[in-house]
Amino acid sequence: MHKLFIAVCVVSLLLIAGCSGQKSQTPPAPPAQQQGGGQQAQHNMANMEDPNPIMAQMNQALDNVAAKSQANKLTEARPSAGNLVTLNNRLSSHFSDTGFRDRLSQAITALNSEVNKPSPDKAAVDKQVETIRGLIKEAPSKMMPH
């Protein structure tokens, strides 16, 4: 189940990257053009979504993971770590800096993977939480102007 979740996240990130990346990556077949229009509409809708509430929710989920780590209840942090992945998928279309977007995605995926291990390493979780906190603070300067 965990591998399926990661696979879905990777596919989602690839779709988002394809939506914001070069259009030459999509072959110009008639069905793809119809879908491409839908993806473009989804992309435009995502850009209209205010990223600030998403970042606030990410901070809240990150705080929850940190609190569960401090209480040595890392298995209870799994829903919040999964929520971080979902929120990051929504936020990623707002970034103009693809390197930053990738670093944030990798850090969140690493945190989620660690929390979902049978015996999560508290030190590794705490380190990832701090890495993600730093990246989230940097995020507003990496956003596309609206």
Side-chain angles (χ1 to χ4, degrees):
M1 186 69 177
H2 176 64
K3 289 180 182 180
L4 175 64
F5 180 74
I6 289 178
V8 169
C9 292
V10 169
V11 169
S12 297
L13 288 174
L14 290 174
L15 284 174
I16 290 168
C19 190
S20 63
Q22 300 168 345
K23 296 299 174 199
S24 63
Q25 292 174 348
T26 305
Q33 285 175 345
Q34 289 172 353
Q35 280 186 342
Q39 287 176 347
Q40 186 62 36
Q42 288 173 351
H43 179 68
N44 289 341
M45 284 175 37
N47 280 339
M48 292 185 335
E49 184 178 23
D50 184 1
N52 292 324
I54 299 170
M55 290 194 336
Q57 291 172 17
M58 288 178 81
N59 276 314
Q60 196 171 27
L62 199 57
D63 289 345
N64 191 343
V65 171
K68 297 297 183 191
S69 178
Q70 292 303 316
N72 286 318
K73 296 182 178 181
L74 284 171
T75 56
E76 292 178 21
R78 290 175 180 164
S80 294
N83 193 28
L84 271 171
V85 172
T86 302
L87 291 166
N88 185 58
N89 288 342
R90 286 175 50 201
L91 187 65
S92 66
S93 66
H94 293 278
F95 293 120
S96 57
D97 183 334
T98 57
F100 176 82
R101 179 184 68 209
D102 293 345
R103 284 194 312 275
L104 180 60
S105 293
Q106 289 169 355
I108 289 173
T109 300
L111 173 66
N112 189 46
S113 295
E114 186 62 43
V115 168
N116 280 289
K117 286 182 178 177
S119 298
D121 179 358
K122 182 182 180 310
V125 168
D126 293 343
K127 182 179 177 187
Q128 284 305 121
V129 165
E130 290 312 309
T131 298
I132 296 167
R133 269 194 214 285
L135 289 168
I136 289 175
K137 286 178 186 171
E138 220 181 305
S141 67
K142 306 295 184 183
M143 299 273 175
M144 286 185 248
H146 289 291

